[in-house]
Amino acid sequence: MSRLIVISNRVSAPSGGGAQGGLAVALSSALRESSGLWFGWSGEETDVFTGQINFQRNQGVATATIDLEAQDVDEYYNGFANRTLWPLFHYRIDLAEYERGFAGGYERVNARFAETVAPLIERDDLVWVNDYHLIPLGRELRARKCKNRIGFFLHIPWPPTRLLLSLPSHRQLVESMFAYDVIGFQTEDSLDAFRDYARSQFGAEIDEGGVMTYDGHSVRLIADPIGIDTKDFRDSATSETARVRFKRMRDSADGRTMMIGVDRLDYSKGLQERFLGYERFLSANAEQHGHVFLLQIAPPSRGEVQSYQEIRATLDSLSGRINGEFSNVEWVPIRYVNKGYPRGELAGMYRAARVALVTPLRDGMNLVAKEYVAAQDEDDPGVLILSRFAGAAEQLTDALLVNPHSPEEVSDAIATALAMPLAERKARWRKLMDNIEQEDVFWWRRRFTDMLEAVTR
């Protein structure tokens, strides 16, 4: 394949300590195969932006990172990316903040990325831009005479037109995307929403092959759901670390049935609604008191953003209320933990849980759902309860699909999962596992890069 240039907000190159996530594994593999380069922000700040690049090579993967000014981080990252686009794209326009300074910082940093990376791009390279932080980057590269094939993949949902119109710069943002040759979305739903906007607002045309044209620029649109490194996660679930954690969880459960939720502390994950659904289950099923508990792992994120501080306070209060109402001296219904765990330990926890609750209000994909399935014992698998509004629901149709906004549906699904016979659990798990094995993270990566490499400019 041609040399691959991956560009993302942050770089997750291999290092000597700890395991990489599935996305980083897939991209690192492609970068090694093509002698490519991964470019992004270092995560560090500098007093004055100079464009100085820090080049490194770790385990065969070349990386190039830059430092940003504090104002850049505040306006581009904390501001437009995470206080404007993130809530808007997750259908929370009530939380979206529209400030000119945020939008200006977003444009400025994308221009700085382009100015810095453009000299590193060679004639035949494939350029792959990732996620909502860098939507205008293709346009900025084109402005600097970059004629390469450039693709963009959005890892979060694309919102419906009626919501996107609330963004003051919505037209400018979407027009910039026609600088790309290929745009990938997690789901058909997001792809359809993008097409609807471009048709209704621009009069863009689309042919039978999925190529959309506007103002003389054509871009191929694809739905390309990301997967996990299934084999590696299966191996993690039977590792010594996982076995130790599995035993410790079973010992601490003391014969009780464990359910699990693992989510970044974010309002899009539906944690408040999950707790309310579980509360409804406890109210309706007194016979289950003392026999079941929910382990909710929710490491904090973006603590400097007010809305994230508020969701943490809400969950602290709600979990305390539920435990105060239903617990006794020998049992608490919710174990609520605000810290993260290494992948091997999580795999052991997944394997120990009879039920997983993956109930986001809106999610681009949600790989926890796939990790839970991959971690299960095929002779005694657990049950996945999955939100209809997670991208994974388009693939994992044999999960128990629920509306996370409905406490009754969540409660009923918990009751169904706990009572599900072994034969049905095994049959559902096998179908879920077939999808996760066939459409893993390497399938996702190859499908996108093959599509990009086939483009003729």
Side-chain angles (χ1 to χ4, degrees):
M1 64 182 293
S2 302
R3 191 175 78 135
L4 182 64
I5 307 294
V6 172
I7 307 175
S8 57
N9 174 58
R10 295 292 300 274
V11 173
S12 300
S15 62
Q20 287 182 284
L23 172 62
V25 168
L27 293 179
S28 295
S29 172
L31 290 165
R32 288 190 194 97
E33 289 175 19
S34 69
S35 300
L37 179 70
W38 196 339
F39 178 89
W41 174 38
S42 65
E44 302 296 327
E45 294 183 7
T46 182
D47 292 336
V48 178
F49 179 78
T50 63
Q52 180 178 341
I53 303 173
N54 177 26
F55 291 97
Q56 292 189 16
R57 180 174 292 275
N58 295 289
Q59 298 182 27
V61 176
T63 62
T65 57
I66 55 172
D67 301 339
L68 296 176
E69 295 176 10
Q71 184 179 0
D72 290 337
V73 176
D74 185 55
E75 294 176 348
Y76 148 78
Y77 181 71
N78 293 328
F80 198 79
N82 289 321
R83 290 162 68 179
T84 302
L85 292 184
W86 178 271
L88 173 61
F89 280 38
H90 287 87
Y91 297 43
R92 292 300 304 270
I93 59 173
D94 58 313
L95 297 177
E97 301 177 35
Y98 305 122
E99 294 190 17
R100 288 182 180 176
F102 291 173
Y106 184 73
E107 292 290 334
R108 181 178 64 251
V109 171
N110 271 268
R112 285 179 166 178
F113 265 56
E115 192 70 27
T116 310
V117 75
L120 307 180
I121 299 173
E122 299 173 1
R123 178 178 177 179
D124 295 324
D125 291 346
L126 298 180
V127 180
W128 187 359
V129 179
N130 281 268
D131 226 0
Y132 62 104
H133 313 84
L134 302 173
I135 290 174
L137 184 57
R139 179 198 64 203
E140 295 296 325
L141 288 171
R142 298 295 186 210
R144 288 158 180 80
K145 310 302 181 186
C146 179
K147 298 182 179 180
N148 298 64
R149 290 162 289 182
I150 309 178
F152 175 80
F153 189 86
L154 183 68
H155 293 263
I156 66 174
W158 184 270
T161 298
R162 65 184 183 278
L163 299 185
L164 188 57
L165 292 176
S166 68
L167 180 69
S169 57
H170 62 88
R171 187 178 184 93
Q172 177 184 357
L173 189 74
V174 179
E175 282 183 336
S176 73
M177 298 178 73
F178 282 85
Y180 294 108
D181 296 297
V182 177
I183 300 176
F185 299 92
Q186 297 275 24
T187 64
E188 292 287 347
D189 183 66
S190 287
L191 189 154
D192 287 343
F194 179 86
R195 285 194 300 217
D196 177 72
Y197 175 94
R199 281 169 166 164
S200 64
Q201 302 303 307
F202 297 162
E205 299 178 352
I206 188 164
D207 66 19
E208 294 180 356
V211 176
M212 178 164 269
T213 302
Y214 165 68
D215 194 27
H217 300 281
S218 295
V219 56
R220 180 175 294 279
L221 308 177
I222 62 168
D224 190 20
I226 193 171
I228 63 171
D229 185 347
T230 308
K231 181 182 182 304
D232 184 69
F233 205 86
R234 290 286 288 168
D235 291 343
S236 293
T238 55
S239 67
E240 181 62 23
T241 298
R243 285 196 294 268
V244 170
R245 175 54 69 179
F246 174 88
K247 183 178 185 305
R248 291 175 64 181
M249 295 312 301
R250 285 292 174 93
D251 289 346
S252 73
D254 195 22
R256 300 181 177 94
T257 299
M258 185 175 89
M259 303 187 295
I260 193 169
V262 178
D263 308 84
R264 190 166 51 81
L265 193 59
D266 187 286
Y267 47 78
S268 69
K269 300 302 182 182
L271 296 178
Q272 179 178 346
E273 290 76 8
R274 183 180 307 167
F275 282 8
L276 292 173
Y278 181 44
E279 181 181 36
R280 183 66 58 90
F281 168 80
L282 294 172
S283 297
N285 298 272
E287 74 282 359
Q288 291 284 1
H289 294 186
H291 298 290
V292 64
F293 68 93
L294 170 64
L295 171 62
Q296 178 61 58
I297 297 171
S301 67
R302 302 169 186 160
E304 66 284 348
V305 178
Q306 179 65 29
S307 56
Y308 288 82
Q309 298 169 6
E310 292 171 358
I311 185 64
R312 181 167 187 174
T314 297
L315 292 173
D316 287 348
S317 174
L318 186 55
S319 61
R321 191 192 82 199
I322 294 170
N323 280 340
E325 180 177 354
F326 294 101
S327 63
N328 58 45
V329 295
E330 297 178 343
W331 166 75
V332 291
I334 299 179
R335 299 183 187 181
Y336 176 47
V337 183
N338 286 132
K339 62 178 289 187
Y341 289 87
R343 184 172 54 169
E345 292 197 41
L346 279 177
M349 294 182 201
Y350 291 145
R351 202 172 179 90
R354 172 56 56 86
V355 179
L357 285 160
V358 182
T359 54
L361 304 182
R362 186 66 56 177
D363 219 339
M365 178 50 57
N366 196 297
L367 297 181
V368 168
K370 297 184 176 185
E371 290 176 348
Y372 175 76
V373 173
Q376 295 308 295
D377 178 354
E378 62 182 310
D379 294 322
D380 187 22
V383 179
L384 173 64
I385 298 175
L386 179 62
S387 166
R388 297 181 184 277
F389 308 125
E394 284 193 6
Q395 296 170 288
L396 306 184
T397 55
D398 284 277
L400 295 181
L401 300 180
V402 298
N403 174 3
H405 297 279
S406 169
E408 289 87 356
E409 278 199 33
V410 175
S411 172
D412 290 349
I414 292 172
T416 299
L418 293 174
M420 188 177 291
L422 176 61
E424 183 179 354
R425 285 191 279 124
K426 291 172 74 172
R428 285 178 178 269
W429 175 83
R430 183 66 262 169
K431 291 180 180 178
L432 296 173
M433 194 64 189
D434 286 345
N435 175 269
I436 292 169
E437 288 178 325
Q438 292 163 14
E439 299 181 1
D440 65 3
V441 71
F442 300 102
W443 170 88
W444 164 81
R445 185 263 293 174
R446 286 191 299 268
R447 191 161 178 262
F448 189 90
T449 54
D450 287 352
M451 186 77 72
L452 184 58
E453 195 154 28
V455 168
T456 300
R457 285 196 60 82

